[in-house]
Amino acid sequence: MDFTFDLAKMRAITFDRKAAQKLLGDDLAEAFLSLVADMRNAMYLDELVDAPATVQSGPVILEYKLGSDCILEVQPIGVQAVDMTNWATVHRVKFVRIVQSGKQVI
């Protein structure tokens, strides 16, 4: 799977464990990097072991749990329009933000 980013911090924590630990703390960084590793090993979103906790439409945003009060929001990106029927077959995602206890962390 391919990744894109709007924020430099999101890119940094995705590819640098120490940056992730510094910004997120050890436990949250581990959960985040574990999900990133699963995504790297998948060809399409529907190959992930855990389905997103929530799928929102317009644009499609997927929420993956990182902990009891923390989520990673990603946006599936396709050559053609991505909607509620085809998001699982997408192989490119944009990491949008990490939200913890209702507040944006990154």
Side-chain angles (χ1 to χ4, degrees):
M1 193 168 314
D2 296 323
F3 307 134
T4 64
F5 309 90
D6 279 340
L7 303 171
K9 281 185 181 180
M10 188 64 78
R11 177 186 293 276
I13 67 167
T14 300
F15 297 111
D16 184 344
R17 179 174 293 279
K18 287 185 181 185
Q21 290 170 326
K22 182 178 179 180
L23 287 171
L24 303 174
D26 291 340
D27 293 339
L28 188 53
E30 188 60 36
F32 172 74
L33 294 172
S34 178
L35 177 59
V36 169
D38 289 346
M39 287 181 167
R40 272 194 193 115
N41 290 326
M43 186 68 118
Y44 302 101
L45 284 169
D46 67 352
E47 293 179 2
L48 294 176
V49 173
D50 294 323
T54 307
V55 181
Q56 302 173 12
S57 62
V60 175
I61 299 290
L62 310 175
E63 296 180 353
Y64 290 93
K65 284 190 170 197
L66 298 177
S68 61
D69 63 344
C70 190
I71 57 166
L72 168 67
E73 293 182 356
V74 301
Q75 179 180 5
I77 301 171
V79 175
Q80 298 181 358
V82 176
D83 59 28
M84 298 301 283
T85 63
N86 67 355
W87 66 264
T89 61
V90 170
H91 68 272
R92 189 170 192 210
V93 295
K94 180 186 343 178
F95 286 65
V96 179
R97 72 185 130 259
I98 294 176
V99 178
Q100 186 172 29
S101 300
K103 296 181 182 179
Q104 184 171 336
V105 177
I106 296 177

